[in-house]
Amino acid sequence: MRKILMFLFFFVLVASLALAADWSRLERRLNLWDGEMDLAIAGELDLFGDARLSSLVDLLLERGFALLPPGQTSEGGLVLEQQTLAGEELLLLRRARDGALLARQPLSPPTLTAATPVTTASVLPTVVAEPAAASALPTRNLLQPTPLIDPTSVLLPLAGQPRGLAVWPAAEGGFALFLLEDAGLRQWYCDGRQLSEVAFYPAPLKVSRALSLAIGDSDGDGVPELAAVWLEDVRGVYQGTNSQVHAWLLQPRKGELVALSDDLAGYLAFDGTSWLRQQRSDYQLFEPVVEVLERTADGVRSVGQRPLTDWLYARCDGPAQGQQVVWNATGRLEVRQQGSAPRPLLLDFGLHQGAAVFVALETPEYRSGFSRDDQVLDRRYLLPRRLLPMDGALYSLIRGRSSGLPLIGSTAGQDRLVRIRSMGEQLQADEPFAPVDAFILDFALLPAASGLQAVLLLNEKEGGRGSAYLALQRQR
């Protein structure tokens, strides 16, 4: 009797896991939402009466959403509705203020065939198994791990957990590699087969996290300058989290990394000729203006300003003359050109989770009630993936890899670089480098005799807390 009860318990447990609802698409969007925490129910959706949605209700409540009664609307929150398309039931998550679609989640679970338990009294016919051919099943060496990249590329393990990279050609034929870590900036020399450490620059202040790394040569002397940006997260019990920005311009000199400036306290980027700085305000992610910086004998000074309504890290000039590409508020890449309306690119770049910048709210917001526990004290903004212009084209990252579901999911999919080019009146995209079975945290490009070489910063985990690797890829 005890064995039978244990078998029934195991059978029910397995069936429950198989029928567990998958809300991964909705959950990712809910995690990124920073508006009002109200959710309205539209149409015929029975959120509280449909047993399939029970776990979704729990998920929404755990995330702090106030579930409005049917018939009530939300001004600045979210709307959940049900739709049937070609016989498939879907849940649609929309933004209330403009009806924009944020996520689409299949509702109907796949049809499962229940397995019939077989007791020892069952009589089964005898089956004689025929030996399979040796080549019927794929095999691999169990002493070697599955490769992360294609065999024609070079893969080098990295110590630590770097978050950003930059490269510069070296006179010896290799290249200088700069890796930004939470604790500082590290310089390496790579000859294409191995790495040799050159210098380390510790972060001058008490910082929490690395944000971004950029490289350029503003004075044209052939020696690069590096803009290293870190965040210091200041946390208050009833003030929320506020990320203070710290940044320095650095330069490699005779085996050392030397600071060219004091703390510039802003976001830094190179526009091809000059360094630009965009500062944070007390309660905003950025000020709508950028300063042009110039090197002097004593350091760095501001020599002019120009307006910029976008975050410095969310835009780039190109790929055609007079065009700019910008990551918009919905995470889509759009093309802007003077005299015409913005046009989104019809390409799925995947959901990218960059470093977060926390901005304290001047006036707290409330999820459902008016107690201190219901307050929203800060807002989170994610660093967009890199946009890199090179040889008349624009390169970026497609996030095709996913961490899977918590506990029962597994990592799957491939990340890859994408090239966007202007062809007459059209914008065309292709993938000049092979995909990788790892998360691409950052990338850089180097000119080579046979075309461009991609330098990829890889990690086994999406957040950058796993094993790190450097990949060198030739253009296909």
Side-chain angles (χ1 to χ4, degrees):
M1 177 62 72
R2 185 175 180 180
K3 290 184 177 180
I4 294 176
L5 291 176
M6 291 179 64
F7 176 82
L8 290 176
F9 175 77
F10 177 78
F11 180 79
V12 172
L13 178 61
V14 171
S16 300
L17 288 174
L19 293 171
D22 171 20
W23 309 116
S24 56
R25 300 183 187 178
L26 294 178
E27 187 173 7
R28 285 192 174 224
R29 280 298 182 181
L30 294 175
N31 291 337
L32 295 174
W33 179 248
D34 58 1
E36 296 182 11
M37 302 295 286
D38 293 334
L39 186 132
I41 304 169
E44 302 298 326
L45 177 63
D46 188 3
L47 184 61
F48 304 103
D50 193 333
R52 296 174 297 175
L53 304 178
S54 177
S55 60
L56 177 58
V57 173
D58 294 336
L59 174 64
L60 292 167
L61 294 177
E62 290 174 1
R63 292 293 186 275
F65 283 88
L67 306 183
L68 302 180
Q72 291 192 16
T73 59
S74 172
E75 296 294 334
L78 298 173
V79 178
L80 190 65
E81 63 179 273
Q82 185 175 348
Q83 184 184 78
T84 302
L85 181 63
E88 182 183 20
E89 292 182 278
L90 301 171
L91 289 181
L92 305 182
L93 184 67
R94 299 184 183 274
R95 196 164 50 206
R97 70 172 184 268
D98 56 7
L101 181 63
L102 302 182
R104 190 172 72 163
Q105 179 77 56
L107 177 59
S108 301
T111 303
L112 299 178
T113 303
T116 303
V118 180
T119 65
T120 55
S122 299
V123 179
L124 299 178
T126 303
V127 178
V128 179
E130 296 182 0
S135 60
L137 297 176
T139 62
R140 69 179 179 89
N141 187 352
L142 298 180
L143 299 179
Q144 294 182 354
T146 303
L148 301 179
I149 60 176
D150 63 292
T152 62
S153 303
V154 178
L155 186 68
L156 302 173
L158 295 174
Q161 295 173 334
R163 302 309 181 93
L165 66 75
V167 296
W168 195 261
E172 304 84 47
F175 62 89
L177 171 70
F178 303 91
L179 295 176
L180 185 68
E181 305 172 1
D182 291 343
L185 178 65
R186 203 174 297 272
Q187 179 185 355
W188 302 79
Y189 171 73
C190 180
D191 63 1
R193 299 180 303 274
Q194 59 184 1
L195 292 170
S196 303
E197 185 168 359
V198 178
F200 177 70
Y201 181 82
L205 295 178
K206 180 183 178 182
V207 295
S208 301
R209 295 177 289 113
L211 180 64
S212 73
L213 180 65
I215 195 168
D217 185 8
S218 62
D219 56 6
D221 63 355
V223 181
E225 302 120 15
L226 296 123
V229 184
W230 289 278
L231 297 174
E232 180 182 3
D233 293 331
V234 180
R235 297 177 174 87
V237 178
Y238 294 112
Q239 290 80 36
T241 301
N242 198 41
S243 299
Q244 297 180 357
V245 185
H246 301 286
W248 285 266
L249 275 182
L250 307 166
Q251 190 172 57
R253 291 180 185 172
K254 298 179 180 180
E256 293 183 342
L257 289 170
V258 180
L260 303 177
S261 69
D262 296 329
D263 185 3
L264 295 174
Y267 311 113
L268 300 179
F270 190 69
D271 68 352
T273 57
S274 304
W275 287 103
L276 305 178
R277 176 176 68 171
Q278 186 180 46
Q279 293 182 298
R280 259 209 59 190
S281 64
D282 291 338
Y283 302 106
Q284 296 294 330
L285 177 64
F286 59 87
E287 296 279 6
V289 64
V290 293
E291 301 172 82
V292 180
L293 303 180
E294 180 183 75
R295 287 182 55 187
T296 66
D298 300 327
V300 176
R301 66 173 182 174
S302 175
V303 294
Q305 292 184 344
R306 58 178 185 243
L308 182 65
T309 57
D310 301 301
W311 193 12
L312 189 59
Y313 295 138
R315 64 172 302 281
C316 182
D317 291 332
Q321 187 73 21
Q323 288 182 337
Q324 296 85 38
V325 290
V326 181
W327 294 109
N328 61 24
T330 63
R332 297 287 300 275
L333 190 64
E334 65 182 22
V335 179
R336 298 179 185 175
Q337 195 161 7
Q338 189 172 4
S340 60
R343 295 175 296 167
L345 297 186
L346 303 180
L347 179 64
D348 184 8
F349 287 88
L351 187 60
H352 179 262
Q353 297 275 357
V357 181
F358 294 92
V359 178
L361 298 179
E362 185 174 10
T363 302
E365 299 175 355
Y366 293 87
R367 295 188 180 95
S368 55
F370 293 96
S371 67
R372 281 186 170 180
D373 293 336
D374 292 317
Q375 287 183 335
V376 178
L377 302 172
D378 52 50
R379 191 159 289 164
R380 185 183 69 157
Y381 299 89
L382 298 179
L383 180 72
R385 71 201 80 190
R386 187 180 292 275
L387 294 169
L388 183 60
M390 178 73 73
D391 295 339
L394 188 68
Y395 292 80
S396 192
L397 160 67
I398 291 181
R399 173 52 50 82
R401 194 163 179 82
S402 171
S403 299
L405 297 175
L407 300 180
I408 61 174
S410 60
T411 305
Q414 295 178 314
D415 279 8
R416 55 202 183 273
L417 298 186
V418 60
R419 175 175 58 186
I420 302 170
R421 293 183 289 182
S422 177
M423 309 293 289
E425 297 295 325
Q426 300 179 352
L427 290 180
Q428 297 183 356
D430 60 6
E431 298 172 10
F433 299 96
V436 296
D437 291 309
F439 292 100
I440 301 178
L441 301 187
D442 201 2
F443 71 95
L445 298 173
L446 278 172
S450 59
L452 291 178
Q453 181 183 35
V455 183
L456 309 179
L457 175 59
L458 306 180
N459 201 288
E460 292 181 340
K461 296 186 179 298
E462 185 176 12
R465 296 297 183 185
S467 299
Y469 301 89
L470 185 76
L472 310 179
Q473 289 188 316
R474 296 291 182 181
Q475 193 169 340
R476 295 193 285 192

